[in-house]
């Protein structure tokens, strides 16, 4: 399949995380069967690299209790505090070059990633990355943007346009732009990114989160970034709305909420052409990719035009006919309060 000028073997991608922060991690994801692998993000800021020294991770069950290490389940949410890759740029480019060569031989592109700090600096990094990887992801929706001064989370269309235009001018390979989910109009951000030269748009980044532990403190002892299967409908809202607004010719990459093959398929049905998965690998390791890829390929076998297929039956509220009887009545009756 071709996505924004990038050839990839399948739509199940590995998103940027600590799992893709080393050569060994990158190669493990490639070898496990990913369609593409996004390397851990970097930027120009030493402070963003130092933030990794205070990283913390909490897997949270349905009862909002934190799991003991090693006891996480695939349906858990992840609240974390993280930073960027700590390698110096030249060393990181060497790692990316080796991983990209390994991936190319297996039909799995390895994509460089930049989390926005300063746009001009991101352009310089992007120009350097263009020489060693087949595509670059620019993350302008970092969920830590409010807490960490060294990264930015853009929520206004003009700011997205300006940042993407600056980086686009320097990057000589396909440029994918990852957007936040917490903004008044994510569709407007996607349109701005596309107008400024993005070859594909990623929807959406994780959300800022906070969870009291009810013992007088807070999980992680701070705020963090939150993603979970419960975020899936929220992510699909923006994927589907962006697909409708920008049309099928704009490639979309889904992220935040996919843990199973069925979740990946829901992203595709909503209009995404590929889906980045991270937390399922945190919990079960890169080997889970084989399950996801097999499940997606088995379901899509013999099916054409599946991407965006759920939108044909989706109506605006104004186009929905009135219910013959109050839809809330059975729920009220079952509650014993009628």
């Amino acid at each position: 399949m071709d996505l924004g000028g990038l050839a990839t073997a399948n739509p199940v991608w590995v998103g940027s995380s600590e799992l893709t922060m080393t050569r060994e991690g990158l190669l493990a994801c490639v070898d496990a069967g990913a369609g593409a692998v996004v390397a851990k993000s970097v930027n120009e800021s030493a402070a963003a690299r130092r933030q990794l020294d205070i990283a913390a991770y909490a897997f949270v069950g349905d009862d909002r209790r934190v799991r003991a290490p090693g006891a996480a389940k695939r349906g858990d949410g992840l609240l974390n505090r993280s930073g960027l890759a700590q390698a110096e740029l030249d060393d990181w480019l060497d790692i990316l070059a080796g991983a990209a060569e390994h991936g190319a031989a297996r039909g799995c592109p390895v994509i460089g990633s930049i989390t926005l700090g300063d746009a001009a600096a991101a352009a310089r990094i992007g120009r350097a990355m263009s020489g060693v990887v087949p595509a670059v992801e620019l993350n302008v929706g970092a969920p830590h943007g409010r807490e960490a001064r060294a990264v930015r989370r853009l929520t206004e269309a003009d700011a997205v346009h300006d940042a993407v235009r600056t980086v686009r001018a320097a990057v000589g390979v396909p440029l994918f732009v990852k957007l936040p989910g917490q903004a008044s109009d994510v569709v407007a951000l996607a349109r701005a990114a596309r107008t400024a030269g993005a070859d594909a748009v990623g929807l959406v980044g994780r959300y800022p989160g906070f969870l009291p532990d009810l013992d007088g403190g807070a999980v992680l002892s701070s705020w963090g970034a939150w993603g979970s299967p419960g975020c899936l409908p929220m992510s699909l809202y923006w994927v589907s709305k962006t697909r409708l607004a920008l049309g099928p010719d704009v490639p979309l990459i889904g992220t935040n909420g996919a843990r199973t093959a069925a979740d990946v398929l829901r992203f595709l049905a909503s209009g995404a052409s590929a889906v980045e998965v991270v937390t399922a690998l945190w919990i079960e390791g890169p080997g889970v990719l084989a399950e996801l890829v097999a499940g997606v390929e088995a379901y899509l076998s013999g099916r054409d035009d599946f991407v965006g297929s759920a939108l044909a039956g989706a109506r605006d509220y104004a186009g929905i006919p009135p219910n013959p009887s109050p839809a809330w009545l059975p729920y009220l009756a079952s509650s014993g309060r009628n």
Side-chain angles (χ1 to χ4, degrees), residues 140-142 153-155 178-183 186 189 203-205 238:
V140 302
R153 180 166 61 94
L154 304 184
T155 58
K178 186 175 181 180
L179 300 173
Q182 193 179 51
V186 176
L189 304 187
L203 302 157
V204 291
W238 289 120

Side-chain angles (χ1 to χ4, degrees), residues 222-247:
S222 77
W223 293 263
W226 174 253
S228 77
C231 293
L232 181 64
M234 302 158 69
S235 301
L236 299 185
Y237 178 90
W238 289 120
V239 169
S240 61
K241 287 292 188 177
T242 302
R243 168 81 174 200
L244 286 173
L246 302 189

